[in-house]
Amino acid sequence: MKAGIVGLPNVGKSTLFNCLSNAKAQSANFPFCTIEPNIGVVNVPDPRLQKLEELVNPERVMPATVEIVDIAGLVKGASKGEGLGNQFLANIRETDAILHVLRCFEDDNIVHVDGSVDPIRDKETIDMELQLKDLETTEKKLDKVKRAAKTGNKEAQKEEAILLKIKENLEAGISVRALEFSEEDYEEFVQPTQFITDKPVMYVCNVDEGSATTGNAFVEKVREAVKDENAEVLVLAVGTEADINELDDYEERQMFLADIGLEEPGSAKLIRSAYKLLNQQTYFTAGVKEVRAWTVNVGATGPQAAGVIHTDFEKGFIRAEVIAYEDYVQYGSEAKVKEAGKMKVEGKNYIVKDGDVMHFLFNV
């Protein structure tokens, strides 16, 4: 699962990507600096993992990860191939969620492609380009479906009605994610098309250091503009995060954070938020060899969780021994949890909960 960082040129995308991944993507004060999408595999900060490490004292610790993609800046006309439009849209289509970076700071030394700072205009520019691309996709699909619908095919007629609804809303500037469909219609007709504007989105307001804790007038405008979108708005001083990132000493980092009123780097919060945006959660395995965080989709069953470790675990799944994270911490060890009768044995229909500590029994 990948989250793609998008935005206009020079809003701080590559600097943010560098903060998240330490991959040091090229960042410079001109458009199209990022041409090939940079991909970073980022550790998900999770204090529960540190606590399990203290209790188990394993040989190694493996955190959960999320893939972040830094995509070239988009400009007006991208849906028609302007700038690096076609490449941008192909790259974004391959991601599962969108981190939309908006410039919410004034700085005469950093040029803005439209000459002034206006995050709402910037947001609308990108929204419109993505909607136009989805409109093109919808119209192409409609041409095929209409022919089948004319023959009396009931499924095609149903799909035609849904596509017409999507087309009408896209023409009115409304993204697919804002529309309501029955679960059945969504899974059958909407989801397979992979509309770009159906992807979950989080808006990252890139502010100056002085606005890192409270935001500013630009941020308030963004919050007001997206209040009906069911989207998270995150405030981040990307330049400051880059400065924190340059410090190797943990104590220095903490002092820097304390000086600007933050308990942890904003990038840590962003990574966790991106993880949730991708509809993912964590379960743990804990033994003397390794304490590890594993990623599963929210709603995953016991066998599906086992399959993340190895496909044979899923095929031969017998049962799972499950300890709630809170119980593991309270009793301090697997043995004491068992003594207290707090370990549960779950079958194939068990729905994994975030933070479960699991051990699988299987037969191949």
Side-chain angles (χ1 to χ4, degrees):
M1 300 286 276
K2 298 177 192 170
I5 301 176
V6 306
L8 292 177
N10 292 353
V11 296
K13 298 185 311 304
S14 294
T15 307
L16 174 60
F17 175 80
N18 289 338
C19 291
L20 298 178
S21 68
N22 286 325
K24 302 300 174 197
Q26 184 189 10
S27 62
N29 187 18
F30 57 88
F32 309 134
C33 178
T34 308
I35 296 174
E36 291 302 320
N38 294 294
I39 298 176
V41 179
V42 183
N43 291 340
V44 179
D46 193 332
R48 296 174 300 182
L49 199 59
Q50 293 159 343
K51 186 65 184 173
L52 288 171
E53 181 184 7
E54 287 170 23
L55 294 172
V56 179
N57 194 25
E59 290 176 20
R60 64 174 183 170
V61 177
M62 298 290 287
T65 59
V66 62
E67 224 169 82
I68 305 287
V69 187
D70 177 25
I71 297 168
L74 176 147
V75 293
K76 282 177 188 169
S79 56
K80 303 296 178 196
E82 291 294 324
L84 296 167
N86 291 331
Q87 201 166 346
F88 170 98
L89 293 160
N91 292 334
I92 196 172
R93 197 180 289 284
E94 290 169 12
T95 64
D96 302 287
I98 296 171
L99 308 177
H100 187 159
V101 182
L102 295 166
R103 177 171 168 175
C104 294
F105 66 91
E106 299 273 10
D107 187 338
D108 293 338
N109 295 318
I110 301 176
V111 297
H112 190 291
V113 287
D114 289 327
S116 62
V117 177
D118 183 346
I120 307 307
R121 177 200 59 213
D122 297 353
K123 173 191 175 305
E124 287 170 353
T125 296
I126 288 202
D127 282 352
M128 185 167 64
E129 294 304 326
L130 300 184
Q131 286 160 2
L132 285 169
K133 198 65 186 173
D134 275 352
L135 187 58
E136 185 185 304
T137 302
T138 307
E139 286 170 342
K140 280 180 183 170
K141 196 153 192 183
L142 257 174
D143 285 344
K144 291 178 186 173
V145 171
K146 276 180 176 174
R147 287 195 288 274
K150 279 177 185 172
T151 67
N153 182 313
K154 294 277 188 255
E155 284 293 291
Q157 288 171 350
K158 200 172 181 183
E159 185 170 11
E160 182 185 16
I162 287 166
L163 289 171
L164 285 169
K165 174 182 174 178
I166 291 170
K167 179 176 184 284
E168 188 181 305
N169 280 279
L170 287 169
E171 286 172 341
I174 299 167
S175 294
V176 177
R177 77 177 71 86
L179 307 181
E180 288 186 8
F181 303 96
S182 72
E183 194 175 330
E184 186 186 330
D185 286 350
Y186 179 77
E187 286 178 4
E188 190 170 351
F189 301 119
V190 183
Q191 198 172 26
T193 308
Q194 295 184 300
F195 291 106
I196 298 173
T197 65
D198 190 35
K199 296 178 190 295
V201 64
M202 175 166 63
Y203 294 99
V204 182
C205 293
N206 183 10
V207 299
D208 57 279
E209 185 176 309
S211 307
T213 53
T214 56
N216 56 27
F218 290 129
V219 174
E220 290 313 310
K221 285 180 181 175
V222 172
R223 286 201 171 109
E224 179 61 26
V226 306
K227 67 176 191 285
D228 297 327
E229 287 190 35
N230 193 27
E232 186 176 353
V233 175
L234 200 71
V235 177
L236 207 65
V238 175
T240 305
E241 293 286 329
D243 292 340
I244 294 170
N245 209 40
E246 292 299 319
L247 299 172
D248 293 324
D249 184 75
Y250 176 77
E251 297 296 328
E252 281 185 35
R253 283 187 178 206
Q254 293 308 111
M255 285 171 62
F256 195 139
L257 288 165
D259 283 346
I260 58 174
L262 293 175
E263 291 180 9
E264 65 173 352
S267 53
K269 189 177 178 185
L270 174 61
I271 294 164
R272 285 197 297 270
S273 297
Y275 194 65
K276 282 183 185 167
L277 194 67
L278 290 162
N279 198 38
Q280 297 189 316
Q281 63 180 3
T282 301
Y283 78 84
F284 302 100
T285 51
V288 290
K289 287 277 183 196
E290 178 183 84
V291 165
R292 184 164 183 158
W294 299 89
T295 300
V296 289
N297 287 337
V298 172
T301 61
Q304 287 169 335
V308 173
I309 299 176
H310 198 288
T311 51
D312 285 350
F313 283 28
E314 183 171 2
K315 287 175 193 165
F317 180 92
I318 300 170
R319 63 183 181 272
E321 295 174 346
V322 183
I323 303 170
Y325 168 77
E326 291 76 13
D327 288 338
Y328 204 110
V329 171
Q330 183 183 340
Y331 293 99
S333 73
E334 186 177 312
K336 287 179 180 174
V337 171
K338 281 181 179 175
E339 278 174 31
K342 290 289 185 179
M343 177 185 280
K344 294 176 184 172
V345 176
E346 302 287 0
K348 291 182 178 180
N349 295 326
Y350 178 67
I351 303 298
V352 177
K353 296 180 182 66
D354 186 55
D356 279 349
V357 181
M358 304 184 79
H359 175 68
F360 300 104
L361 287 89
F362 66 100
N363 181 25
V364 177

